[in-house]
Structure formats: C-alpha cells, structure tokens
Amino acid sequence: MSAVYKEDQEDWVTVCLKYLLFVFNFLFWVGGAAVLGVGVWTLVEKSDYLSLLASSTFAVSAYILILAGSLVVVTGFLGCCAVIREQRSCLSVYFFCLLVIFLIELVAGVLAYVYYQRLSEELKQHLNQTMTENYAQPGKEAITLAVDRLQQDFKCCGSNNSHDWTLSVYISTKQAESRVVPDSCCKTITPLCGKRDHPSNIYKVEGGCITKLEQFLADHLLVIGAVGIGVACLQICGMVFTCCLYRRIKMEPY
C-alpha cells in the first residue's frame, strides 16, 4: 500500500513540475518579447545618436539583447516539446539553451551597467570634439544628421552651450554663410536662421546637449540592464525546474 502511495506521490510531483515548466515557458516568452522589444527600441528610437558616441558598447548591448530575445522564442518551443515528450535528451538541450541565453543576457546587463558608469566621462571627452570637427564635413553626413536631430529633439545648442560652435570647423568656412550656429539650433528653423544667436531665436539650455544626451542614454542603459538581468534571474527558476523534472524522469522506470 505504501509503495502504491509513494508511486502516486511521485507521479503527482512530476505532473506539478511539468505544469510549473509550462508556466515558466509562458513567462519566458513574455520576458523574451520584452528583451527583444527593448533591444529593437534602443536601436530604432534614437539610432542616429550612436554615431556621436566614441565607443560601440551601447549598440553592442542592444544587439546582444536582440540576439537573446530571438533565441528565447526558439527555446520556448523547445521547452514545451521537452516537457510534453518527457525525454531526458530534450530536457538536457533545453537546459543548455537556457544556460547560454542566461549568460548572454547577463553579459548585456553587465555591459550596460559598466558603460553607464563611464558614460558621463566619455561624453565630456568626445561629444564636443565630434560636433565641432565633423559637422557638415565631407563624408560625415551621418554625424551631421545626428547633431541636427539631437539639437532639435532635445531643444539644445552645442555640446555645453551655443558658444561651442564658434570653434567649429563648419562655422569658420564659407559654407556657413556667416552663421554663428547651425540652423538646427533655432527654435523655428528657417533658411540662415543660425546667423542670429539671440535667446529668442536659438535654444539656450543650461548644460547644453551633453546633459540631455547623457540623461537619455543613461535611462536607456538602465532599462537594458534591468531587463537583461531581470529575465536572466527568471531563467534560473526555469533551470531549477528543468533539473528537477530531469531527475524525476530519470528515476521513473521505462
């Protein structure tokens, strides 16, 4: 009698583990969609700004999340198949996939956190130089568009302030046509509006564009880090459930 009770109890535990894994797979898909969405959002939302950054860490973090999110979709189907078929080989592959994705997302989260720590210093060292030396120069069309969009989106002018443009290569050439700032600094853009740098005409924001861009990137990095590490922690639960089910199936006679 006790043997029958023990067998029924083992079957009940196995069924519970299977349902837990099904629930995990659903949450895993939702988390994967979030990871993929954040990665795409990061690259698409303000992709022009990436050309203004000295390093590619920000973009790499987003690409890693996109890779991880895509793998999650495939792995989720594999997890359902592994649970339904109750084969140890399928569970082993599923566990390995979870482990790989866990490490990928952890790397993305750590990269985002590390870059967040040195973001301010990088922008202070490189943004002003990038804007003043490359704006409206041959072969630097991407940077020119990025600067124009940056100044219009964030309603700012210059890296630190509008006076930064007095040292730019663009303003010192005939191409500027006597402008003192690019037209994208103007509150209302009209041809040659950059000739007049009065506060009523151009954006005079304390801290300049560097403050605005730093805050924008910092917010994105926090989201990347939080989503990456959050979903990675969720996967730990999945790996534990997978190991438990693997052991239960292994103990059952064929």
Side-chain angles (χ1 to χ4, degrees), residues 168-234:
S168 73
V169 175
Y170 166 68
I171 295 301
S172 63
T173 62
K174 292 182 179 179
Q175 182 185 359
E177 299 182 74
S178 301
R179 290 180 179 88
V180 290
V181 294
D183 289 345
S184 57
C185 281
C186 300
K187 294 179 179 179
T188 301
I189 296 180
T190 56
L192 300 177
C193 64
K195 285 186 174 183
R196 182 168 165 266
D197 63 350
H198 191 271
S200 63
N201 182 51
I202 69 169
Y203 294 114
K204 295 277 189 178
V205 179
E206 187 172 346
C209 293
I210 191 170
T211 304
K212 299 277 190 175
L213 181 59
E214 181 182 348
Q215 185 59 53
F216 169 81
L217 294 176
D219 291 344
H220 273 61
L221 287 170
L222 285 176
V223 173
I224 291 175
V227 170
I229 294 176
V231 175
C233 292
L234 175 65

Side-chain angles (χ1 to χ4, degrees), residues 27-45:
L27 296 176
F28 190 43
W29 270 325
V30 173
V35 168
L36 185 60
V38 167
V40 172
W41 167 66
T42 300
L43 292 178
V44 173
E45 175 74 4

